[in-house]
Amino acid sequence: MKELRPAAVRELLTHLERLPGIGPRSAGRLVEHLLTCAPDEPARLGEALVTLRERVRLCSTCFLLTEEDPCPVCSDPERDRSTILVVESPTTAWPVEATGEYNGLYHALLGHLSPLHGVGPEDLTIDQLLQRARGEGVREVILATNPTVEGETTALYIARRLEPLGLTVSRPASGIPVGGEVSAVDQVTLAQALQLRRRV
């Protein structure tokens, strides 16, 4: 059997397939797009990737992605400094902020607890969160970790560490998505939706 893919294509496929969520088929479609798009588009993509690595870093306070330190959220005097919303990944804050419903501070853990993969509390930014929670004026910490086994474990661990501080510790409600059908919802989500039901 002959190898039909040129060496340059094989090399790019290797790099693309290392990205999260990109398998061989998706990588192939991306390569095809890059070969058939406007001639300057691949160069612009390359420049954007270089710029990303040069300019973007983690905020030293909340660990969100930023080009300035502290980030625009931490340096905004209009933000509600009594509330910290905790997320696993810096990018999780983006859709939360886009709702326009939250005006407090953020804290990215940079992962979740996973003993099977050797990720313990010391590998996350939990100590920095506890230090911030002890700060003047913080009254509530919202644990918005993912609704997975690891996310729930991480939230429970942090809640126990926060308990001596006497703060309100909460989790976002979860349940049936808008437009979803009850018959298509998994049992855990349905159970949570029933537990968190509200009066109409």
Side-chain angles (χ1 to χ4, degrees):
M1 181 172 75
K2 290 192 179 293
E3 174 57 74
L4 298 179
R5 300 169 302 174
V9 169
R10 291 198 308 271
E11 183 177 356
L12 181 55
L13 286 170
T14 299
H15 290 293
L16 290 173
E17 289 173 21
R18 290 182 186 147
L19 297 173
I22 304 294
R25 288 186 183 177
S26 295
R29 286 193 292 273
L30 290 171
V31 168
E32 186 175 349
H33 171 76
L34 291 170
L35 289 171
T36 58
C37 65
D40 64 332
E41 192 172 328
R44 289 199 318 266
L45 174 61
E47 289 170 12
L49 290 171
V50 170
T51 300
L52 174 77
R53 293 296 298 187
E54 289 175 348
R55 293 188 190 170
V56 178
R57 58 190 177 278
L58 296 174
C59 174
S60 60
T61 302
C62 71
F63 302 96
L64 292 187
L65 298 173
T66 184
E67 291 186 25
E68 310 155 8
D69 194 13
C71 73
V73 172
C74 290
S75 60
D76 184 354
E78 301 299 316
R79 300 297 290 212
D80 176 5
R81 300 190 172 276
S82 69
T83 306
I84 299 175
L85 188 139
V86 179
V87 292
E88 291 182 22
S89 164
T91 58
T92 306
W94 300 346
V96 173
E97 189 70 12
T99 67
E101 294 295 319
Y102 180 72
N103 191 43
L105 303 176
Y106 293 97
H107 188 90
L109 296 170
L110 307 181
H112 53 244
L113 295 175
S114 181
L116 291 176
H117 296 98
V119 180
E122 66 283 353
D123 299 307
L124 306 177
T125 62
I126 293 174
D127 287 339
Q128 293 90 330
L129 170 63
L130 294 171
Q131 184 176 348
R132 292 180 71 197
R134 290 185 190 99
E136 188 175 328
V138 175
R139 294 194 304 268
E140 181 179 8
V141 175
I142 304 168
L143 299 174
T145 54
N146 294 329
T148 60
V149 172
E150 295 87 355
E152 294 291 340
T153 301
T154 304
L156 183 60
Y157 175 83
I158 294 171
R160 287 184 178 154
R161 295 281 306 272
L162 289 169
E163 195 172 350
L165 303 181
L167 305 173
T168 299
V169 180
S170 61
R171 293 272 286 152
S174 59
I176 302 168
V178 174
E181 295 183 18
V182 174
S183 61
V185 176
D186 65 90
Q187 289 180 341
V188 173
T189 302
L190 188 54
Q192 288 178 338
L194 290 171
Q195 291 167 5
L196 299 169
R197 65 189 181 277
R198 56 186 170 83
R199 188 182 296 273
V200 178

